Amino acid sequence: GVLLGLVWPALIDLNAAKQEREQKKEEKTAKENLVERIRILASQFDSLAPGTLEKIERAMPRGQNVPDVLTQLENMASESNLILDSADFTPAAARTAEADILKAKSLTASLALKGDYPAFSRWLDLFESNSRLFDIRSVDFNLSSRERNLFTLKIKFLIYYQ
């Protein structure tokens, strides 16, 4: 019994030391894997084509930058022969799944444009090819002049930013 009383605490300490050593090995392996993943990401980052980061920054810039967005929208309306009647920008009421995936913030934009259908179609083409990341939520058409086929187009969309 006395021998067991002396050996038992040593066995418990040995077992605890063994478990701690295994835990340290697992932590070391996890850290080595993390370092390797960071090396791979750094290599991929270094191999990005020139201008890629600038494209990403244009698609989802830091901050709302409403004046720049408004200038882009006015230019697109002008190129499409539409009249930009009004523009309103408000913080998005709720987080969207897209914003969560992108880890981004969003701004709700509401536009009123006047013009004919072909002009609106041209505007949509420009809107889709714009480098800024937009997400159309709704489009409403109202005929404002029957004889000239002019529409009032109300468009609501999200603008993403970091």
Side-chain angles (χ1 to χ4, degrees):
V2 172
L3 185 58
L4 188 58
L6 293 174
V7 173
W8 189 253
L11 284 173
I12 290 174
D13 288 344
L14 183 63
N15 193 28
K18 209 181 206 182
Q19 286 178 345
E20 186 177 336
R21 191 178 98 204
E22 285 300 316
Q23 183 180 4
K24 297 278 184 192
K25 272 173 111 174
E26 289 174 7
E27 288 174 6
K28 180 183 174 208
T29 301
K31 287 179 181 178
E32 287 171 346
N33 289 341
L34 179 61
V35 167
E36 184 59 27
R37 286 197 313 255
I38 290 171
R39 280 190 191 126
I40 290 169
L41 288 173
S43 172
Q44 289 173 345
F45 181 80
D46 291 340
S47 67
L48 287 175
T52 301
L53 290 178
E54 291 79 16
K55 287 178 185 176
I56 293 169
E57 181 68 26
R58 279 194 309 272
M60 199 167 45
R62 298 188 191 286
Q64 297 173 358
N65 201 1
V66 172
D68 184 49
V69 172
L70 188 56
T71 300
Q72 289 177 353
L73 295 170
E74 286 177 347
N75 289 340
M76 288 188 294
S78 176
E79 285 180 47
S80 304
N81 294 324
L82 289 174
I83 297 167
L84 180 60
D85 238 11
S86 67
D88 183 43
F89 302 91
T90 57
R95 298 266 314 158
T96 64
E98 295 87 353
D100 285 340
I101 290 169
L102 295 168
K103 296 184 180 359
K105 299 172 188 154
S106 58
L107 186 66
T108 300
S110 299
L111 299 181
L113 298 161
K114 285 190 178 174
D116 60 13
Y117 183 80
F120 179 64
S121 181
R122 285 190 300 275
W123 185 87
L124 272 179
D125 289 340
L126 292 171
F127 189 83
E128 288 177 351
S129 65
N130 191 296
S131 62
R132 186 78 187 250
L133 195 53
F134 297 124
D135 188 9
I136 293 180
R137 293 301 182 173
S138 67
V139 177
D140 294 319
F141 289 87
N142 290 318
L143 189 61
S144 56
S145 172
R146 286 188 191 271
E147 62 275 353
R148 293 187 3 190
N149 287 330
L150 291 180
F151 292 92
T152 298
L153 313 162
K154 294 187 179 186
I155 302 138
K156 192 174 268 190
F157 58 95
L158 294 178
I159 302 168
Y160 297 103
Y161 64 95
Q162 298 179 43

